[in-house]
Amino acid sequence: MTNSAVTGTGLRVVRGGRDVLRGVGFAIPRGSVTGLLGPSGCGKTTLMRAVVGVQTIADGTVEVLGRPAGHPDLRSRVGYATQNPAVYADLTVGECLRYFAAVLGAPARDVDRVLAEVDLAGQAKQLVGSLSGGQRGRASLAVALLGSPELLVLDEPTVGLDPVLREDLWALFHRLAATGVALVVSSHVMDEAARCDRLLFMRDGLVLADDTPDGLRAKTGQDDLEQAFLRLARAA
Amino acid sequence: MKATITARRVLTQLRHDPRTVVMLLLVPTLLMTLLRFVFNDEHAFSRTAPALLGVFPFVIMFLVASVTTLRERTTATLERLMTMPMGKLDLILGYAIAFGAIAVAQVGVATTVSVLWLGLDVVGSVWTLLLIAVLDAVLGMALGLFVSAFATSEFQAIQFMPLFVLPQFLLCGLLQPRERMGWLLNWLSDVMPLSYAVDALTRVTRSADVDSALVLDLVVVAGCVVAALALGAGTLRRRTA
């Protein structure tokens, strides 16, 4: 068994006649937080969809936990939170989580654990539709944490959160990584890059860099990761 | 079982929407009452009522099922469920069980009121009548689930009602006996499931025996329910572009 939770090779995705991913290769190691960074529209979501196996791909392969992406065995081992909150607005937070827990075959006590992890324990009896945008995003993130996923694919999980909560979530991500979970976290905000163990810089359907933050700083001679990204984007 | 888990979830969603529940339970009854006073004559009412006892729930369940499943399809929840250990047929069956339960309640209220207070005269068994009407409602639901796959917005889903349901209503033999229609319309009415449902309802009200023609009607309607559910499950995609 390799150390990589996910390996993508020559991945090409065409959407609406346009190449959204133009033959990208990447690896996502176990036990660490990999940041997927790049401007809006660069293909981050498409790459994440390919990893969870809901994206039709034109060419290339994605291997997840030793299986092809989307393999039925992976359905209870991979947690996925889409960018738009995937929760039922007309259920309470608790009802919604209990439903997904039952679908995953996760124990019912998991619901209380994940609610505490995303700081929504006080909202368990509130209708999802009455939550704020940030709270709804966290409810959706809580669903991804149910069960004991070995890989977590989180699309922009910290958008619109207050700084204290964002800090808490990053601490949670690193705690999970310390237990061996592989996490992929996308963001279009560069200041989150420094919080990741590894970085995948994306631009216009290509992966510009696949390295550690320090590795990127050394390679580009820039201390600031935003500047490092600019340097790589200009060189591409 | 994943289907019953999903059914419970759909019913819980509805419970948070009491206005919809009240309308689901009472609208067909209200329409039957209206029909009774439009005729203002028990005999005329008894001739048309059985068919409409099937048609009203058929139309309502078609609408409700197509909009609800479209909502699931167009929000991210379906994509999430498709990454989880949830079978496509389990999901569709979950919806079918939930709406089937509602259909039983809806038709039960409408039939009770029609027989007890509106003077609906049923020669055959009331239970058979109830069974057929529920089957009609479930048929509407199954067709609604299926056609929601071809709608990309709620506007389209709503318009599928006049497109898929009203022609069946016009050709089911209620307005004009089917054998008096031209060959093309007659053939069309032969391939439309509602024709068999209305035919079965009319038989039960007029005669006490359960003959082979009635059984055949029921088998056709039930077969269409199963086919629509299977086709509906077939339209769900784990991978999309």
Side-chain angles (χ1 to χ4, degrees):
Chain A
M1 184 166 279
T2 62
N3 191 39
S4 282
V6 183
T7 320
T9 327
L11 179 61
R12 204 165 71 81
V13 172
V14 183
R15 292 181 87 175
R18 203 173 69 85
D19 276 25
V20 184
L21 292 180
R22 303 186 287 154
V24 299
F26 56 92
I28 293 159
R30 292 172 193 268
S32 68
V33 182
T34 303
L36 186 56
L37 283 109
S40 183
C42 70
K44 298 189 295 286
T45 298
T46 305
L47 190 143
M48 296 187 126
R49 283 170 44 87
V51 170
V52 293
V54 296
Q55 177 67 53
T56 310
I57 58 180
D59 205 4
T61 56
V62 186
E63 204 185 72
V64 179
L65 305 170
R67 306 256 181 209
H71 191 279
D73 281 0
L74 296 172
R75 284 178 198 149
S76 51
R77 297 168 67 194
V78 178
Y80 173 42
T82 49
Q83 198 170 344
N84 292 324
V87 275
Y88 297 99
D90 44 7
L91 289 181
T92 67
V93 177
E95 286 165 348
C96 186
L97 282 161
R98 279 195 293 279
Y99 170 63
F100 284 115
V103 170
L104 286 167
R109 62 175 183 281
D110 246 25
V111 170
D112 294 327
R113 171 181 65 85
V114 297
L115 280 176
E117 280 172 346
V118 300
D119 194 25
L120 278 181
Q123 277 74 36
K125 290 196 162 63
Q126 206 174 321
L127 277 181
V128 170
S130 70
L131 298 177
S132 73
Q135 287 175 325
R136 214 182 287 199
R138 276 185 284 147
S140 185
L141 171 64
V143 176
L145 300 174
L146 288 167
S148 28
E150 295 161 59
L151 169 68
L152 274 172
V153 180
L154 310 175
D155 203 352
E156 311 242 354
T158 57
V159 168
L161 295 186
D162 90 87
V164 178
L165 211 56
R166 212 153 61 130
E167 196 72 30
D168 289 350
L169 283 185
W170 278 100
L172 169 67
F173 298 161
H174 285 288
R175 270 205 314 280
L176 288 167
T179 66
V181 176
L183 292 97
V184 195
V185 179
S186 75
S187 178
H188 62 269
V189 200
M190 277 299 159
D191 65 356
E192 302 210 297
R195 299 172 183 268
C196 302
D197 301 316
R198 280 197 77 83
L199 292 171
L200 286 173
F201 272 175
M202 286 190 74
R203 189 163 189 265
D204 201 16
L206 289 174
V207 172
L208 298 183
D210 180 356
D211 210 334
T212 60
D214 283 339
L216 281 170
R217 289 189 185 104
K219 193 187 284 174
T220 56
Q222 299 286 342
D223 257 0
D224 181 43
L225 287 168
E226 175 127 30
Q227 292 302 318
F229 180 81
L230 275 173
R231 179 70 59 101
L232 287 165
R234 291 214 176 94
Chain B
M1 199 187 135
K2 299 283 159 73
T4 51
I5 296 169
T6 301
R8 199 174 321 136
R9 185 261 293 174
V10 174
L11 289 173
T12 312
Q13 284 179 286
L14 276 173
R15 215 187 55 219
H16 288 293
D17 185 0
R19 194 179 303 174
T20 298
V21 174
V22 169
M23 287 202 284
L24 279 173
L25 291 183
L26 296 184
V27 168
T29 307
L30 207 71
L31 292 173
M32 292 308 287
T33 313
L34 186 62
L35 183 75
R36 167 68 183 80
F37 292 104
V38 165
F39 282 121
N40 209 14
D41 168 62
E42 278 191 13
H43 288 293
F45 173 70
S46 279
R47 256 201 317 276
T48 325
L52 290 174
L53 209 48
V55 171
F56 291 148
F58 175 79
V59 174
I60 293 170
M61 293 312 277
F62 179 93
L63 267 179
V64 173
S66 56
V67 171
T68 321
T69 43
L70 181 74
R71 236 168 40 174
E72 177 104 51
R73 284 175 203 270
T74 51
T75 54
T77 50
L78 182 66
E79 181 168 308
R80 167 163 259 164
L81 283 174
M82 290 291 98
T83 67
M84 290 184 169
M86 163 67 79
K88 296 175 191 175
L89 198 60
D90 281 333
L91 183 62
I92 291 288
L93 281 180
Y95 270 100
I97 294 168
F99 286 123
I102 296 197
V104 171
Q106 183 181 62
V107 171
V109 175
T111 309
T112 309
V113 171
S114 300
V115 171
L116 290 186
W117 290 304
L118 301 179
L120 172 61
D121 195 15
V122 186
V123 179
S125 149
V126 176
W127 293 108
T128 317
L129 178 77
L130 197 63
L131 170 76
I132 304 167
V134 166
L135 211 53
D136 284 2
V138 174
L139 175 69
M141 175 218 69
L143 289 176
L145 281 178
F146 173 55
V147 302
S148 76
F150 305 101
T152 52
S153 71
E154 268 138 5
F155 284 135
Q156 292 178 9
I158 297 271
Q159 302 225 60
F160 279 153
M161 200 281 278
L163 185 65
F164 281 84
V165 172
L166 292 188
Q168 297 203 50
F169 174 71
L170 293 178
L171 296 178
C172 73
L174 194 63
L175 303 179
Q176 164 89 323
R178 288 164 58 199
E179 55 279 3
R180 291 208 339 237
M181 295 173 192
W183 66 269
L184 178 63
L185 294 188
N186 199 329
W187 179 82
L188 276 175
S189 90
D190 278 347
V191 297
M192 290 179 168
L194 190 65
S195 307
Y196 296 87
V198 167
D199 193 48
L201 285 165
T202 314
R203 276 176 206 280
V204 178
T205 20
R206 292 200 186 144
S207 140
D209 8 302
V210 178
D211 56 3
S212 61
L214 177 62
V215 173
L216 181 70
D217 283 338
L218 289 181
V219 169
V220 171
V221 175
C224 288
V225 169
V226 173
L229 289 178
L231 288 170
T235 60
L236 297 176
R237 293 275 169 270
R238 290 215 188 252
R239 272 179 202 276
T240 52

